[in-house]
Amino acid sequence: MPLRPPPIPSPPGSPWWDRIRHADRRPVLLARGRIRRAIAGWLDDQGFTEVDPAALAVSPGNEAHLHGFATEAIGNDGLARRMYLHTSPEFAMKKLLAAGETRIAAFVHVWRNRERGPLHAPEFTMLEWYRAGEDYTALMDDCAAMLRLAAQAAGAGVLRFRGAECDPFAAPERLPVAEAFRRHAGVDLLATIGPDGATDRDGLAVQAAAQGLRVAADDTWSDILSRILTARVEPHLGHGRATILDRYPAPEAALARRAADDPREAERFELYACGVELANGFGELTDPAEQRRRFEAEMDERQRIHGERYPLDEDFLAALAQMPPASGIALGFDRLVMLATGAPRIDDVQWTPVP
């Protein structure tokens, strides 16, 4: 029998399903599976119940700059109902907390429109988990465990991205947002926030301009904060060891409750490694009236910028009143795999990337 000729190397730009390219990607994909199993086993040992939230939702989420994928559900009567692919399983999982669950976790596919790049994909995997009756600082310990587990499963001594390194076995640094802005940007952030959460847009604009950052006439306080965070703060986070960027300003609380000791801040943190944001955790807000006010303000801003609104999930707001005090967090699983394997792009760690 004649020998099969050696395979021809894949040309540049070949599709992910090309046999040679897939062979190159396969070790990372197998590591992805090991990381998932390690984390799932740890969650099980911690007493979490793995749940499976539905992907179709009446609202994709109510953040001004979050873009959902819309579709139609056609009933037996032939009538179409607007639905969305969820951008997070948060609303569904909090309904489960209201129903009586106490420790729940889910690996889920989520969808976000207008997001594509080395760290962004329109469809990706999110790991989300909740602890009823526990302070949000418990999630910080969870995050440290996730970093260790991912590195061990991938056989990695360090996490890597674009030349940056982070020790996944070192205790993360816990850094308040206000201190990070002072240290890395020379900005007094809390001076621009009132006790009632009102913001001083011009005061923050002056500080940003003094640091050489461009400020447009129509930039809001949140726009300026985001620019400072992206340009001056994030590049310094998670180098050498992970950073927990804690106590976000109250105007950026999203679904988190305000800090008991300072109403200008909220029980919200983000996890960074190698300058990459990996997770977003909350001490969960359980006041439906306050949550409605925040959602409506976000949708007003969305209408102003994008000319559209998303509906509110009234069922979620009703369940919020029955939800126990809890902490919850969402982690970008693909990004964690990227850092543990040293992959440069999110597409490299997905079995079948979106075309």
Side-chain angles (χ1 to χ4, degrees):
M1 178 181 293
L3 295 176
R4 177 181 297 178
I8 300 174
S10 300
S14 56
W16 60 260
W17 45 263
D18 175 87
R19 185 176 293 259
I20 304 302
R21 185 174 175 193
H22 178 68
D24 289 340
R25 297 174 69 239
R26 196 166 186 271
V28 169
L29 299 174
L30 295 178
R32 176 193 178 102
R34 294 196 301 272
I35 294 169
R36 189 192 188 286
R37 290 191 295 274
I39 291 176
W42 183 88
L43 289 166
D44 186 60
D45 290 342
Q46 293 289 311
F48 284 86
T49 298
E50 185 169 349
V51 299
D52 187 17
L56 281 176
V58 299
S59 174
N62 295 107
E63 296 179 34
H65 300 289
L66 200 61
H67 302 279
F69 282 84
T71 186
E72 290 184 340
I74 300 175
N76 293 338
D77 56 6
L79 298 178
R81 178 189 180 201
R82 173 61 63 93
M83 299 284 285
Y84 299 88
L85 293 172
H86 64 187
T87 57
S88 161
E90 182 168 7
F91 291 0
M93 293 182 75
K94 287 182 176 177
K95 291 173 187 176
L96 287 172
L97 293 178
E101 296 293 338
T102 56
R103 285 191 180 184
I104 53 176
F107 286 90
V108 292
H109 280 231
V110 297
W111 291 262
R112 297 188 178 184
N113 228 335
R114 302 194 189 189
E115 295 192 10
R116 197 74 193 244
L119 290 168
H120 295 86
E123 181 179 355
F124 61 97
T125 299
M126 182 177 286
L127 168 60
E128 194 152 325
W129 69 98
Y130 291 85
R131 290 176 173 270
E134 298 184 69
D135 188 78
Y136 83 125
T137 56
L139 303 173
M140 300 177 188
D141 295 334
D142 292 346
C143 286
M146 300 293 178
L147 297 180
R148 292 193 301 270
L149 289 164
Q152 289 168 347
V158 295
L159 305 179
R160 290 190 175 92
F161 183 71
R162 291 182 176 173
E165 293 188 351
C166 173
D167 182 353
F169 305 101
E173 168 194 30
R174 185 175 175 183
L175 179 65
V177 172
E179 172 60 20
F181 271 58
R182 185 201 64 76
R183 181 186 304 176
H184 299 303
V187 169
D188 186 349
L189 184 62
L190 294 182
T192 69
I193 309 171
D196 60 351
T199 56
D200 178 4
R201 181 266 177 203
D202 292 340
L204 189 58
V206 168
Q207 294 192 68
Q211 297 300 319
L213 295 175
R214 180 188 61 82
V215 178
D218 60 348
D219 278 343
T220 65
W221 182 91
S222 290
D223 293 332
I224 300 169
L225 177 140
S226 180
R227 188 165 298 123
I228 298 170
L229 178 65
T230 301
R232 296 286 190 266
V233 178
E234 285 187 333
H236 298 281
L237 305 180
H239 296 278
R241 59 173 174 158
T243 299
I244 291 172
L245 192 62
D246 191 18
R247 293 176 70 99
Y248 263 66
E252 301 294 309
L255 286 84
R257 59 177 173 254
R258 290 195 184 194
D261 61 336
D262 191 337
R264 297 174 300 172
E265 297 178 304
E267 291 187 359
R268 176 186 174 188
F269 75 88
E270 291 188 334
L271 172 69
Y272 285 84
C274 304
V276 176
E277 179 207 339
L278 288 177
N280 191 6
F282 298 154
E284 302 292 351
L285 179 67
T286 55
D287 180 344
E290 171 63 13
Q291 190 64 77
R292 181 184 295 276
R293 185 194 67 76
R294 293 185 192 179
F295 281 168
E296 289 175 345
E298 286 289 310
M299 291 302 93
D300 288 345
E301 181 70 358
R302 182 177 188 82
Q303 182 69 47
R304 182 184 73 83
I305 298 172
H306 302 293
E308 66 173 349
R309 310 176 74 90
Y310 289 140
L312 304 188
D313 184 341
E314 295 292 345
D315 199 37
F316 165 70
L317 291 170
L320 205 59
Q322 306 300 319
M323 190 179 126
S327 59
I329 187 167
L331 181 146
F333 181 68
D334 307 79
R335 290 186 179 184
L336 179 61
V337 175
M338 285 177 62
L339 270 57
T341 60
R345 297 183 58 87
I346 194 170
D347 288 0
D348 296 329
V349 301
Q350 294 180 322
W351 278 92
T352 61
V354 174

